[in-house]
Amino acid sequence: MKTEVFNNLNSLFLSAAQEVFRAIRLKPNFVLGLAAGKTPVLLYKKLVEMSLAQKFSFSQVTTFNLDEYVGITKDHPESFYKFTQEHLFKFLDFKRTEGLNGAATNFKNECIRYEELVQHSGGLDLQILGIGTNGHIGFNEPGSEKSSRTRLVNLSPETQAKIPHPNFEKTPTQGLTLGISNILESKNIIIIATGATKAEAVKNSFSAIESKNYPASFLQSHPHCTLYLDQDSARLLKV
Ligand code: F6R
């Protein structure tokens, strides 16, 4: 795992966006895994700006969202699918944009369907990740096994507390997520953490040995994973 610490957010997200572009240039029919949340917003903004400036086409690129709340449809204003639509899909000409269906009637079948779809697309070339303050990646909460696959999970109280309220009648308590082993199968991984609130999770996940108490720690063994940090999130990291 490679760690890069940046002096400002602009250079961090520029560098991450450049990594995404470089990878897609090498393989136009790229399969890109997308996280939602606050962290990747600036990355997605950079990707949109750069692609418009360079007239870069994503027309052969397929995207797979990493996770989704249970109990809502893709077009719900707070769905992760809607988030990626607002920040990326409405600006870029992707070939296909896939997401887990949080309103499926049978979640087991939905997870099987999604894994098969990833597989038939050739597997993930690059997975973009954020990290939770409890060390989660996707909705792989503390306690998740390294061997875990796409599944229905209960959201931790910490995760539930961070879910934005106004557009939800009832705060989601469950989610669907790619598992740790699905994430580790991605050929490349970019994980981004910014701000002091992530410093503890970064330290616990990347300064100590792998542990299911901090699911992000399983990324340490991935051969092509880059950790993008700002000074605040890197503050407690011992490298
Ligand atoms: C979102 C996701 C989550 C977030 C994490 C950090 O698709 O999978 O694991 O990456 O909760 O969220 P932010 O970026 O909002 O701090």
Side-chain angles (χ1 to χ4, degrees):
M1 170 167 209
K2 196 167 89 185
T3 302
E4 299 209 36
V5 183
F6 295 84
N7 287 326
N8 62 70
L9 293 181
N10 188 55
S11 52
L12 186 159
F13 287 104
L14 180 64
S15 179
Q18 283 167 340
E19 182 176 341
V20 176
F21 270 85
R22 263 197 309 276
I24 297 178
R25 277 207 180 88
L26 291 174
K27 186 183 182 239
N29 62 336
F30 204 76
V31 181
L32 181 62
L34 298 172
K38 293 194 188 81
T39 309
V41 169
L42 285 176
L43 170 62
Y44 298 158
K45 193 160 179 266
K46 284 263 181 252
L47 288 179
V48 171
E49 283 168 5
M50 286 163 70
S51 67
L52 296 179
Q54 299 173 24
K55 296 195 172 40
F56 188 89
S57 173
F58 288 79
S59 63
Q60 293 182 67
V61 175
T62 300
T63 64
F64 282 92
N65 279 26
L66 172 64
D67 47 6
E68 189 54 271
Y69 294 125
V70 157
I72 59 169
T73 56
K74 273 179 165 183
D75 57 3
H76 186 283
E78 296 298 338
S79 80
F80 284 165
Y81 189 82
K82 188 78 177 173
F83 171 93
T84 41
Q85 199 164 41
E86 288 304 309
H87 291 279
L88 280 178
F89 306 157
K90 77 177 185 195
F91 303 109
L92 303 177
D93 60 341
F94 291 112
K95 177 178 162 193
R96 266 169 53 214
T97 57
E98 302 290 348
L100 283 151
N101 178 9
T105 45
N106 182 323
F107 293 122
K108 206 164 175 201
N109 288 348
E110 172 57 11
C111 293
I112 293 169
R113 177 196 74 84
Y114 203 62
E115 284 212 2
E116 285 178 355
L117 215 54
V118 174
Q119 222 168 31
H120 292 152
S121 305
L124 296 168
D125 289 303
L126 172 63
Q127 176 65 57
I128 292 164
L129 296 172
I131 181 171
T133 48
N134 62 0
H136 75 204
I137 45 174
F139 279 145
N140 294 285
E141 299 282 26
S144 296
E145 299 289 343
K146 191 173 186 178
S147 59
S148 59
R149 300 208 61 87
T150 310
R151 67 201 189 287
L152 173 71
V153 292
N154 294 324
L155 304 181
S156 68
E158 196 169 343
T159 299
Q160 287 184 42
K162 294 205 170 71
I163 297 176
H165 281 283
N167 288 321
F168 281 116
E169 276 175 32
K170 189 176 160 288
T171 306
T173 56
Q174 292 184 305
L176 298 178
T177 186
L178 290 187
I180 303 285
S181 64
N182 302 102
I183 293 171
L184 292 174
E185 280 163 17
S186 178
K187 294 170 196 80
N188 298 281
I189 298 174
I190 287 178
I191 175 158
I192 305 170
T194 56
T197 57
K198 299 292 172 73
E200 197 68 35
V202 166
K203 179 192 80 178
N204 291 330
S205 303
F206 305 116
S207 296
I209 54 164
E210 290 184 359
S211 151
K212 62 183 178 182
N213 295 334
Y214 299 99
S217 67
F218 291 126
L219 299 173
Q220 291 179 39
S221 60
H222 193 281
H224 304 289
C225 176
T226 308
L227 173 62
Y228 284 81
L229 302 175
D230 66 355
Q231 298 286 348
D232 287 339
S233 62
R235 195 165 47 96
L236 305 173
L237 189 67
K238 298 181 195 79
V239 277

Short mmCIF file of all heavy atoms in Angstrom, two decimals, residues 42-86:
data_model
loop_
_atom_site.label_atom_id
_atom_site.label_comp_id
_atom_site.label_asym_id
_atom_site.label_seq_id
_atom_site.Cartn_x
_atom_site.Cartn_y
_atom_site.Cartn_z
N LEU A 42 -15.13 16.25 -4.13
CA LEU A 42 -14.14 17.07 -4.86
C LEU A 42 -13.43 16.28 -5.94
O LEU A 42 -13.04 16.83 -6.98
CB LEU A 42 -13.12 17.68 -3.89
CG LEU A 42 -13.64 18.86 -3.06
CD1 LEU A 42 -12.57 19.33 -2.08
CD2 LEU A 42 -14.06 20.02 -3.96
N LEU A 43 -13.27 15.00 -5.72
CA LEU A 43 -12.67 14.15 -6.77
C LEU A 43 -13.60 14.12 -7.98
O LEU A 43 -13.16 14.28 -9.12
CB LEU A 43 -12.44 12.74 -6.23
CG LEU A 43 -12.05 11.69 -7.28
CD1 LEU A 43 -10.71 12.06 -7.95
CD2 LEU A 43 -11.97 10.30 -6.66
N TYR A 44 -14.89 13.92 -7.73
CA TYR A 44 -15.84 13.84 -8.84
C TYR A 44 -15.92 15.18 -9.57
O TYR A 44 -16.04 15.23 -10.80
CB TYR A 44 -17.21 13.37 -8.32
CG TYR A 44 -17.17 11.97 -7.72
CD1 TYR A 44 -18.13 11.51 -6.82
CD2 TYR A 44 -16.14 11.09 -8.05
CE1 TYR A 44 -18.08 10.23 -6.27
CE2 TYR A 44 -16.08 9.81 -7.50
CZ TYR A 44 -17.04 9.40 -6.61
OH TYR A 44 -16.97 8.13 -6.07
N LYS A 45 -15.80 16.28 -8.79
CA LYS A 45 -15.83 17.60 -9.41
C LYS A 45 -14.62 17.76 -10.35
O LYS A 45 -14.74 18.23 -11.47
CB LYS A 45 -15.78 18.66 -8.28
CG LYS A 45 -16.10 20.05 -8.71
CD LYS A 45 -16.51 20.89 -7.51
CE LYS A 45 -16.82 22.31 -7.95
NZ LYS A 45 -15.69 23.21 -7.82
N LYS A 46 -13.47 17.32 -9.87
CA LYS A 46 -12.25 17.40 -10.70
C LYS A 46 -12.40 16.53 -11.95
O LYS A 46 -12.01 16.94 -13.04
CB LYS A 46 -11.03 16.88 -9.93
CG LYS A 46 -10.50 17.82 -8.90
CD LYS A 46 -9.32 18.63 -9.46
CE LYS A 46 -8.78 19.56 -8.41
NZ LYS A 46 -9.05 20.94 -8.61
N LEU A 47 -12.95 15.34 -11.79
CA LEU A 47 -13.11 14.46 -12.96
C LEU A 47 -14.01 15.12 -14.00
O LEU A 47 -13.72 15.08 -15.20
CB LEU A 47 -13.74 13.11 -12.56
CG LEU A 47 -12.85 12.15 -11.77
CD1 LEU A 47 -13.63 10.88 -11.43
CD2 LEU A 47 -11.59 11.79 -12.55
N VAL A 48 -15.07 15.77 -13.54
CA VAL A 48 -15.99 16.44 -14.46
C VAL A 48 -15.27 17.61 -15.14
O VAL A 48 -15.27 17.72 -16.37
CB VAL A 48 -17.27 16.91 -13.72
CG1 VAL A 48 -18.12 17.79 -14.63
CG2 VAL A 48 -18.06 15.71 -13.22
N GLU A 49 -14.61 18.43 -14.33
CA GLU A 49 -13.90 19.61 -14.90
C GLU A 49 -12.85 19.17 -15.92
O GLU A 49 -12.77 19.71 -17.02
CB GLU A 49 -13.19 20.38 -13.78
CG GLU A 49 -14.11 21.24 -12.94
CD GLU A 49 -13.42 21.76 -11.67
OE1 GLU A 49 -12.18 21.53 -11.48
OE2 GLU A 49 -14.13 22.37 -10.87
N MET A 50 -12.04 18.19 -15.53
CA MET A 50 -10.95 17.76 -16.41
C MET A 50 -11.48 17.12 -17.68
O MET A 50 -10.95 17.33 -18.76
CB MET A 50 -10.02 16.78 -15.67
CG MET A 50 -9.15 17.49 -14.64
SD MET A 50 -8.41 16.35 -13.44
CE MET A 50 -7.22 15.48 -14.44
N SER A 51 -12.56 16.35 -17.55
CA SER A 51 -13.06 15.68 -18.76
C SER A 51 -13.68 16.69 -19.71
O SER A 51 -13.55 16.55 -20.93
CB SER A 51 -14.05 14.57 -18.40
OG SER A 51 -15.19 15.15 -17.84
N LEU A 52 -14.31 17.72 -19.17
CA LEU A 52 -14.88 18.74 -20.05
C LEU A 52 -13.75 19.53 -20.72
O LEU A 52 -13.77 19.76 -21.92
CB LEU A 52 -15.82 19.69 -19.28
CG LEU A 52 -17.08 19.03 -18.69
CD1 LEU A 52 -17.93 20.04 -17.92
CD2 LEU A 52 -17.93 18.35 -19.77
N ALA A 53 -12.73 19.90 -19.93
CA ALA A 53 -11.62 20.68 -20.47
C ALA A 53 -10.85 19.89 -21.53
O ALA A 53 -10.40 20.44 -22.53
CB ALA A 53 -10.69 21.10 -19.34
N GLN A 54 -10.71 18.59 -21.30
CA GLN A 54 -9.90 17.77 -22.22
C GLN A 54 -10.77 17.03 -23.25
O GLN A 54 -10.26 16.21 -23.99
CB GLN A 54 -9.10 16.73 -21.43
CG GLN A 54 -8.13 17.33 -20.44
CD GLN A 54 -7.47 16.26 -19.56
OE1 GLN A 54 -7.38 15.10 -19.93
NE2 GLN A 54 -7.01 16.66 -18.39
N LYS A 55 -12.06 17.28 -23.22
CA LYS A 55 -13.02 16.56 -24.09
C LYS A 55 -12.78 15.05 -23.99
O LYS A 55 -12.69 14.32 -24.97
CB LYS A 55 -12.90 17.03 -25.54
CG LYS A 55 -13.28 18.48 -25.73
CD LYS A 55 -13.50 18.80 -27.19
CE LYS A 55 -14.05 20.17 -27.45
NZ LYS A 55 -13.55 21.27 -26.65
N PHE A 56 -12.61 14.62 -22.76
CA PHE A 56 -12.32 13.21 -22.47
C PHE A 56 -13.63 12.44 -22.40
O PHE A 56 -14.57 12.85 -21.73
CB PHE A 56 -11.57 13.13 -21.13
CG PHE A 56 -11.05 11.77 -20.80
CD1 PHE A 56 -9.79 11.38 -21.21
CD2 PHE A 56 -11.81 10.89 -20.05
CE1 PHE A 56 -9.30 10.12 -20.88
CE2 PHE A 56 -11.33 9.63 -19.72
CZ PHE A 56 -10.07 9.26 -20.13
N SER A 57 -13.68 11.32 -23.10
CA SER A 57 -14.93 10.56 -23.12
C SER A 57 -14.87 9.34 -22.20
O SER A 57 -13.87 8.64 -22.14
CB SER A 57 -15.22 10.11 -24.55
OG SER A 57 -16.34 9.25 -24.53
N PHE A 58 -15.99 9.13 -21.50
CA PHE A 58 -16.14 7.96 -20.63
C PHE A 58 -17.10 6.94 -21.27
O PHE A 58 -17.67 6.11 -20.60
CB PHE A 58 -16.69 8.38 -19.26
CG PHE A 58 -15.71 9.12 -18.40
CD1 PHE A 58 -15.44 10.47 -18.63
CD2 PHE A 58 -15.04 8.48 -17.37
CE1 PHE A 58 -14.54 11.16 -17.83
CE2 PHE A 58 -14.14 9.16 -16.57
CZ PHE A 58 -13.88 10.50 -16.81
N SER A 59 -17.25 7.07 -22.59
CA SER A 59 -18.33 6.32 -23.25
C SER A 59 -18.12 4.80 -23.24
O SER A 59 -19.04 4.06 -23.54
CB SER A 59 -18.51 6.81 -24.68
OG SER A 59 -17.33 6.57 -25.40
N GLN A 60 -16.92 4.37 -22.89
CA GLN A 60 -16.72 2.91 -22.79
C GLN A 60 -16.57 2.47 -21.34
O GLN A 60 -16.25 1.32 -21.06
CB GLN A 60 -15.48 2.52 -23.59
CG GLN A 60 -15.65 2.71 -25.09
CD GLN A 60 -14.42 2.25 -25.83
OE1 GLN A 60 -14.11 1.06 -25.85
NE2 GLN A 60 -13.70 3.18 -26.42
N VAL A 61 -16.77 3.42 -20.42
CA VAL A 61 -16.56 3.12 -18.99
C VAL A 61 -17.87 2.71 -18.31
O VAL A 61 -18.90 3.35 -18.50
CB VAL A 61 -15.96 4.34 -18.27
CG1 VAL A 61 -15.83 4.09 -16.77
CG2 VAL A 61 -14.61 4.72 -18.88
N THR A 62 -17.79 1.63 -17.55
CA THR A 62 -18.93 1.17 -16.74
C THR A 62 -18.63 1.49 -15.27
O THR A 62 -17.50 1.30 -14.83
CB THR A 62 -19.12 -0.36 -16.90
OG1 THR A 62 -19.36 -0.62 -18.28
CG2 THR A 62 -20.28 -0.88 -16.07
N THR A 63 -19.65 1.96 -14.55
CA THR A 63 -19.44 2.22 -13.12
C THR A 63 -20.31 1.30 -12.26
O THR A 63 -21.42 0.92 -12.67
CB THR A 63 -19.79 3.68 -12.75
OG1 THR A 63 -21.19 3.90 -12.96
CG2 THR A 63 -18.99 4.67 -13.55
N PHE A 64 -19.78 0.96 -11.11
CA PHE A 64 -20.53 0.19 -10.11
C PHE A 64 -20.48 0.93 -8.79
O PHE A 64 -19.38 1.20 -8.27
CB PHE A 64 -19.92 -1.21 -9.92
CG PHE A 64 -20.26 -2.16 -11.02
CD1 PHE A 64 -19.44 -2.28 -12.14
CD2 PHE A 64 -21.43 -2.90 -10.97
CE1 PHE A 64 -19.76 -3.14 -13.17
CE2 PHE A 64 -21.77 -3.77 -12.01
CZ PHE A 64 -20.93 -3.89 -13.11
N ASN A 65 -21.64 1.26 -8.25
CA ASN A 65 -21.64 1.86 -6.93
C ASN A 65 -21.31 0.81 -5.87
O ASN A 65 -21.68 -0.36 -6.01
CB ASN A 65 -23.00 2.50 -6.63
CG ASN A 65 -23.14 3.86 -7.27
OD1 ASN A 65 -22.48 4.15 -8.26
ND2 ASN A 65 -23.96 4.70 -6.70
N LEU A 66 -20.63 1.27 -4.85
CA LEU A 66 -20.11 0.40 -3.80
C LEU A 66 -21.20 -0.12 -2.86
O LEU A 66 -21.15 -1.26 -2.40
CB LEU A 66 -19.08 1.23 -3.02
CG LEU A 66 -18.45 0.72 -1.76
CD1 LEU A 66 -17.62 -0.52 -2.07
CD2 LEU A 66 -17.56 1.80 -1.15
N ASP A 67 -22.17 0.74 -2.56
CA ASP A 67 -23.16 0.37 -1.54
C ASP A 67 -24.44 1.19 -1.70
O ASP A 67 -24.50 2.11 -2.52
CB ASP A 67 -22.56 0.53 -0.12
CG ASP A 67 -21.83 1.87 0.09
OD1 ASP A 67 -21.87 2.72 -0.82
OD2 ASP A 67 -21.23 2.05 1.15
N GLU A 68 -25.43 0.82 -0.91
CA GLU A 68 -26.72 1.51 -1.00
C GLU A 68 -27.51 1.30 0.29
O GLU A 68 -27.36 0.26 0.96
CB GLU A 68 -27.52 0.99 -2.20
CG GLU A 68 -28.77 1.75 -2.54
CD GLU A 68 -28.51 3.25 -2.75
OE1 GLU A 68 -28.58 4.00 -1.75
OE2 GLU A 68 -28.22 3.69 -3.89
N TYR A 69 -28.32 2.29 0.63
CA TYR A 69 -29.22 2.13 1.78
C TYR A 69 -30.32 1.15 1.42
O TYR A 69 -30.80 1.13 0.28
CB TYR A 69 -29.88 3.46 2.14
CG TYR A 69 -28.96 4.52 2.64
CD1 TYR A 69 -28.90 5.77 2.02
CD2 TYR A 69 -28.16 4.30 3.76
CE1 TYR A 69 -28.07 6.76 2.50
CE2 TYR A 69 -27.32 5.30 4.24
CZ TYR A 69 -27.28 6.53 3.60
OH TYR A 69 -26.45 7.51 4.07
N VAL A 70 -30.76 0.40 2.42
CA VAL A 70 -31.90 -0.50 2.23
C VAL A 70 -33.19 0.26 2.55
O VAL A 70 -33.24 1.06 3.49
CB VAL A 70 -31.74 -1.75 3.15
CG1 VAL A 70 -33.08 -2.42 3.43
CG2 VAL A 70 -30.81 -2.75 2.48
N GLY A 71 -34.20 -0.01 1.74
CA GLY A 71 -35.52 0.58 2.01
C GLY A 71 -35.85 1.75 1.10
O GLY A 71 -36.92 2.34 1.22
N ILE A 72 -34.93 2.10 0.21
CA ILE A 72 -35.21 3.21 -0.71
C ILE A 72 -34.88 2.80 -2.14
O ILE A 72 -34.04 1.94 -2.38
CB ILE A 72 -34.42 4.50 -0.33
CG1 ILE A 72 -32.92 4.24 -0.33
CG2 ILE A 72 -34.90 5.07 1.00
CD1 ILE A 72 -32.09 5.51 -0.23
N THR A 73 -35.54 3.47 -3.07
CA THR A 73 -35.28 3.18 -4.49
C THR A 73 -34.10 4.04 -4.96
O THR A 73 -33.72 5.01 -4.29
CB THR A 73 -36.52 3.50 -5.35
OG1 THR A 73 -36.87 4.86 -5.11
CG2 THR A 73 -37.68 2.59 -5.01
N LYS A 74 -33.58 3.71 -6.13
CA LYS A 74 -32.43 4.43 -6.70
C LYS A 74 -32.71 5.93 -6.87
O LYS A 74 -31.81 6.75 -6.79
CB LYS A 74 -32.12 3.87 -8.08
CG LYS A 74 -31.19 2.69 -8.09
CD LYS A 74 -31.02 2.27 -9.54
CE LYS A 74 -29.87 1.34 -9.75
NZ LYS A 74 -29.69 1.00 -11.17
N ASP A 75 -33.98 6.28 -7.14
CA ASP A 75 -34.27 7.69 -7.39
C ASP A 75 -34.65 8.47 -6.13
O ASP A 75 -35.01 9.64 -6.19
CB ASP A 75 -35.35 7.85 -8.49
CG ASP A 75 -36.62 7.11 -8.14
OD1 ASP A 75 -36.68 6.53 -7.03
OD2 ASP A 75 -37.55 7.10 -8.98
N HIS A 76 -34.54 7.83 -4.96
CA HIS A 76 -34.75 8.56 -3.70
C HIS A 76 -33.68 9.66 -3.60
O HIS A 76 -32.52 9.42 -3.95
CB HIS A 76 -34.62 7.57 -2.52
CG HIS A 76 -34.96 8.17 -1.19
ND1 HIS A 76 -34.10 9.01 -0.52
CD2 HIS A 76 -36.07 8.07 -0.42
CE1 HIS A 76 -34.65 9.38 0.63
NE2 HIS A 76 -35.85 8.83 0.70
N PRO A 77 -34.06 10.86 -3.12
CA PRO A 77 -33.07 11.95 -3.09
C PRO A 77 -31.80 11.66 -2.28
O PRO A 77 -30.76 12.26 -2.54
CB PRO A 77 -33.84 13.13 -2.48
CG PRO A 77 -35.15 12.59 -2.03
CD PRO A 77 -35.40 11.31 -2.74
N GLU A 78 -31.88 10.73 -1.32
CA GLU A 78 -30.69 10.43 -0.51
C GLU A 78 -30.02 9.12 -0.91
O GLU A 78 -29.11 8.67 -0.21
CB GLU A 78 -31.05 10.37 0.98
CG GLU A 78 -31.55 11.67 1.57
CD GLU A 78 -30.53 12.79 1.52
OE1 GLU A 78 -29.33 12.50 1.42
OE2 GLU A 78 -30.95 13.96 1.57
N SER A 79 -30.47 8.51 -2.00
CA SER A 79 -29.82 7.24 -2.36
C SER A 79 -28.40 7.52 -2.84
O SER A 79 -28.10 8.61 -3.36
CB SER A 79 -30.61 6.51 -3.46
OG SER A 79 -30.32 7.06 -4.72
N PHE A 80 -27.54 6.55 -2.68
CA PHE A 80 -26.16 6.71 -3.15
C PHE A 80 -26.13 6.77 -4.67
O PHE A 80 -25.28 7.41 -5.27
CB PHE A 80 -25.28 5.57 -2.63
CG PHE A 80 -24.91 5.71 -1.17
CD1 PHE A 80 -24.39 4.64 -0.47
CD2 PHE A 80 -25.06 6.92 -0.50
CE1 PHE A 80 -24.02 4.75 0.87
CE2 PHE A 80 -24.70 7.05 0.85
CZ PHE A 80 -24.19 5.96 1.52
N TYR A 81 -27.10 6.05 -5.29
CA TYR A 81 -27.16 6.12 -6.75
C TYR A 81 -27.46 7.56 -7.19
O TYR A 81 -26.81 8.09 -8.09
CB TYR A 81 -28.21 5.15 -7.30
CG TYR A 81 -28.13 5.06 -8.81
CD1 TYR A 81 -27.19 4.24 -9.42
CD2 TYR A 81 -28.94 5.86 -9.62
CE1 TYR A 81 -27.06 4.19 -10.80
CE2 TYR A 81 -28.82 5.82 -11.00
CZ TYR A 81 -27.88 4.98 -11.58
OH TYR A 81 -27.75 4.94 -12.94
N LYS A 82 -28.42 8.17 -6.52
CA LYS A 82 -28.79 9.55 -6.85
C LYS A 82 -27.58 10.49 -6.63
O LYS A 82 -27.33 11.41 -7.41
CB LYS A 82 -29.96 9.97 -5.93
CG LYS A 82 -30.57 11.29 -6.29
CD LYS A 82 -31.48 11.13 -7.47
CE LYS A 82 -32.17 12.43 -7.83
NZ LYS A 82 -32.91 12.28 -9.07
N PHE A 83 -26.85 10.22 -5.57
CA PHE A 83 -25.65 11.01 -5.27
C PHE A 83 -24.67 10.96 -6.45
O PHE A 83 -24.16 11.99 -6.91
CB PHE A 83 -24.99 10.46 -3.99
CG PHE A 83 -23.63 11.05 -3.70
CD1 PHE A 83 -23.49 12.15 -2.87
CD2 PHE A 83 -22.49 10.49 -4.27
CE1 PHE A 83 -22.24 12.69 -2.63
CE2 PHE A 83 -21.24 11.04 -4.04
CZ PHE A 83 -21.12 12.13 -3.21
N THR A 84 -24.41 9.76 -6.94
CA THR A 84 -23.44 9.64 -8.05
C THR A 84 -24.03 10.23 -9.34
O THR A 84 -23.30 10.76 -10.16
CB THR A 84 -23.01 8.17 -8.24
OG1 THR A 84 -24.13 7.31 -8.10
CG2 THR A 84 -21.95 7.77 -7.24
N GLN A 85 -25.34 10.15 -9.45
CA GLN A 85 -25.99 10.76 -10.61
C GLN A 85 -25.78 12.28 -10.59
O GLN A 85 -25.38 12.88 -11.60
CB GLN A 85 -27.48 10.46 -10.54
CG GLN A 85 -28.22 10.60 -11.82
CD GLN A 85 -29.56 9.90 -11.74
OE1 GLN A 85 -30.24 9.99 -10.71
NE2 GLN A 85 -29.94 9.21 -12.78
N GLU A 86 -26.00 12.87 -9.42
CA GLU A 86 -25.88 14.32 -9.28
C GLU A 86 -24.45 14.81 -9.46
O GLU A 86 -24.22 15.90 -9.99
CB GLU A 86 -26.38 14.77 -7.88
CG GLU A 86 -27.88 14.68 -7.72
CD GLU A 86 -28.63 15.49 -8.78
OE1 GLU A 86 -28.30 16.67 -8.94
OE2 GLU A 86 -29.52 14.93 -9.44
#
